[in-house]
Every structure is written in C-alpha cells, then in structure tokens.
Amino acid sequence: MSAVVSGNNISAAVGTIVGSRIVSRHFGLTLGATGFSLGLIIEGRFLSNSLFLIMPEKSNLILIVLGVSIIMFIIATLARIPLSLIMAIVGTSIGIGLRTGYNYDSLYVIMIIALWIVAPILAILSSYFLNLNLSKIGVKNVWATARFYKLFLVTISFLTAFTLGANTFGLLASLERSSYLTIPTMIIAIFLGAAFMSSGVIRRISQDMYGMRYQNATVSLLVSSILVEGATFFALPLPSTQTLTSSVFGTGLSYKTKAMQIRPFLIIVIMWVVSPLLGMALGYLIA
C-alpha cells in the first residue's frame, strides 16, 4: 500500500516542479520520496489514533480497509487519476463502523467531512488572490527573480512532501502499531513506488491541467502545504491531492488570458466524491 500511495500521490508534491521543468523527473521523485519519509518519521505520530475514532481496532477489519483501499488505488493508478488514500481509508472505515455498530466519534467524522469541503474552497480562493496580487508586482531583474522562484519552489516541494508524509503515511502507519519494522518497510516501499509507479499521475497533475509558471507553481505548493500541515497538527486527515489540485485551479483562474483544461479537474473532483462513498459502501458490505 505504501508503494502504491507513493507512486500515486507523489505528483501532489513534485508535479509542479517537474511540469515546469525546474528539476528533472529523477530529482523530483527522489526529493518527494525523501520528504514523504521524513514526514512519516517526524510527524506521523499525530495521526496515530485518528482512524480508530471511526472504526474498531481489530486485525480482520484493518485487512478489509487495506484490501478495499489498494483495489481502489490500483484502478486509479491505471486510470492516471491522483486518488487520495485518506478518502479511501476514511470512507471504508466509516462503512465498517456503521456495519459493526461501532460507537464512533460522530463529531470527529463531521469535522473531517467539513474539512474536505472547506479546504478546497480555501485553497482556490487563497491561491487565486495571492497569485493575482503577486502578478501585479513589477519585476526589475527577471533572471534573479527566476532563480529565486526556482530555489523556493524546490524548498516548498520538499515541505509539501513532508506534510503529505506526516498526514497520509502517518494515517497508514497507524494501522500497524505492533512492529518495529513498520516504518523502515514503509520507507523502502515509498522509494520503490516513487521510482516505478508514478509516471502517469505526474503527467496528469503537472502537464495535463495547466502549464505551470514559476510563480503559480510556488503559490500552489505553498497554499497546499500550509493547509495540510495545519490539519496534521489537529490530527485531521486531509488529502494533499485535494488541496494541491484546488490550489492549481485557483492560480490558473487568476490568469484571465491563460486557457485551462477543465476536464482533468472535473475528473478529479468527481473522484473526491466517488472514492469515499465507494469505500463506505464496500466497507459496509464486506465487514
């Protein structure tokens, strides 16, 4: 699961810098996988108890969550659609909780759903106005500005991968508490997934959506990483693919003369709705 998630979600961290040709694909994938790993190690513990506020902590039910989620991820990877592990796992867990009559924390579930609705709106509005205001600032030295954006983008890409590692992989690690081999095994899988399972989704988010400029790539990553990091400290699972896609859309809207392809965005938005509902249905039926 860690390998599949890494390959599918690494676009949320490095897709912009790869798509804007700031770094090579190889460097971008290495940077993203390293950020995933450090985020998991340093901040992954914040999500350690969140999943079991929704479903019983039983090994057979955990296997159902993993099984349903990995099937959904394989389908999404083949379709080149960035699918959120968080949405798949949380949806499946809620379905299991309902089927087993588990006394889950309903307030926590409401907070998660509310966050999934509010975060994309915040990401679109924040990236739209931030990029619009930055565009009005005059640039005296174009090459110096480009060098600054390049360095800043690489840094923000790493921080984005770090927050995704803390939130998404931290949630995944919470499913296995008993083994000291869990984290090392996940890190190996993260690098393998980034190396061999990422090409399709990298193209989808970095090139199909919008031809990224340095400025709007910076804004997209910055807004996304801030939102995910904030959610992590409150122990709320927030899909990084959701915040980044929304941020990319917001920056694209701020360029009135720049044509955007809406279809890839619509596909991903549909998946935001379908994946948790499908996971919930499957979790309810199988548990």
Side-chain angles (χ1 to χ4, degrees):
M1 174 63 80
S2 296
V4 174
V5 173
S6 177
N8 192 279
N9 281 189
I10 200 166
S11 59
V14 302
T16 48
I17 58 173
V18 174
S20 58
R21 307 294 196 275
I22 290 176
V23 300
S24 67
R25 180 177 179 274
H26 176 75
F27 182 88
L29 294 179
T30 303
L31 183 76
T34 302
F36 286 167
S37 302
L38 291 177
L40 170 63
I41 294 169
I42 297 173
E43 293 186 357
R45 66 185 187 280
F46 292 158
L47 277 295
S48 61
N49 295 315
S50 59
L51 192 61
F52 300 112
L53 296 174
I54 303 173
M55 61 168 283
E57 189 174 355
K58 296 181 179 179
S59 58
N60 63 315
L61 298 179
I62 291 172
L63 287 175
I64 292 175
V65 172
L66 289 174
V68 170
S69 299
I70 199 166
I71 290 172
M72 293 173 63
F73 254 76
I74 290 172
I75 295 172
T77 300
L78 293 174
R80 299 196 307 135
I81 299 173
L83 176 70
S84 168
L85 166 72
I86 288 176
M87 287 185 163
I89 282 186
V90 171
T92 306
S93 300
I94 292 175
I96 290 174
L98 291 172
R99 178 62 181 269
T100 59
Y102 183 64
N103 186 25
Y104 61 87
D105 191 334
S106 58
L107 178 59
Y108 186 70
V109 173
I110 292 172
M111 290 174 63
I112 293 174
I113 296 173
L115 181 65
W116 289 359
I117 296 172
V118 172
I121 298 173
L122 286 176
I124 291 172
L125 293 176
S126 299
S127 57
Y128 174 84
F129 287 109
L130 181 57
N131 199 58
L132 193 65
N133 289 325
L134 287 175
S135 299
K136 296 178 181 179
I137 300 175
V139 177
K140 296 181 179 180
N141 189 325
V142 176
W143 296 112
T145 302
R147 286 194 296 270
F148 167 78
Y149 272 123
K150 180 177 180 179
L151 178 61
F152 193 62
L153 266 171
V154 173
T155 304
I156 292 297
S157 294
F158 175 79
L159 292 177
T160 302
F162 181 91
T163 58
L164 195 154
N167 199 289
T168 301
F169 286 97
L171 183 69
L172 180 58
S174 70
L175 293 171
E176 172 57 80
R177 302 185 183 188
S178 60
S179 175
Y180 289 105
L181 295 176
T182 300
I183 301 301
T185 302
M186 288 181 67
I187 291 174
I188 293 172
I190 284 170
F191 277 90
L192 290 175
F196 299 108
M197 305 175 69
S198 63
S199 59
V201 288
I202 281 286
R203 286 195 298 272
R204 167 75 72 181
I205 203 165
S206 66
Q207 297 173 8
D208 292 354
M209 288 183 182
Y210 187 74
M212 300 298 288
R213 302 178 182 179
Y214 285 3
Q215 179 179 299
N216 58 310
T218 300
V219 171
S220 300
L221 287 172
L222 180 61
V223 170
S224 176
S225 60
I226 290 174
L227 288 172
V228 175
E229 184 69 5
T232 300
F233 277 105
F234 286 99
L236 292 170
L238 176 63
S240 299
T241 51
Q242 186 186 54
T243 56
L244 180 68
T245 302
S246 301
S247 298
V248 170
F249 187 73
T251 55
L253 289 176
S254 67
Y255 288 103
K256 297 181 179 180
T257 59
K258 181 71 175 182
M260 287 198 308
Q261 299 184 43
I262 301 298
R263 184 173 178 272
F265 287 102
L266 293 178
I267 292 174
I268 293 174
V269 170
I270 290 172
M271 290 302 296
W272 293 345
V273 178
V274 171
S275 58
L277 293 178
L278 179 60
M280 185 185 303
L282 292 174
Y284 185 87
L285 292 173
I286 297 174

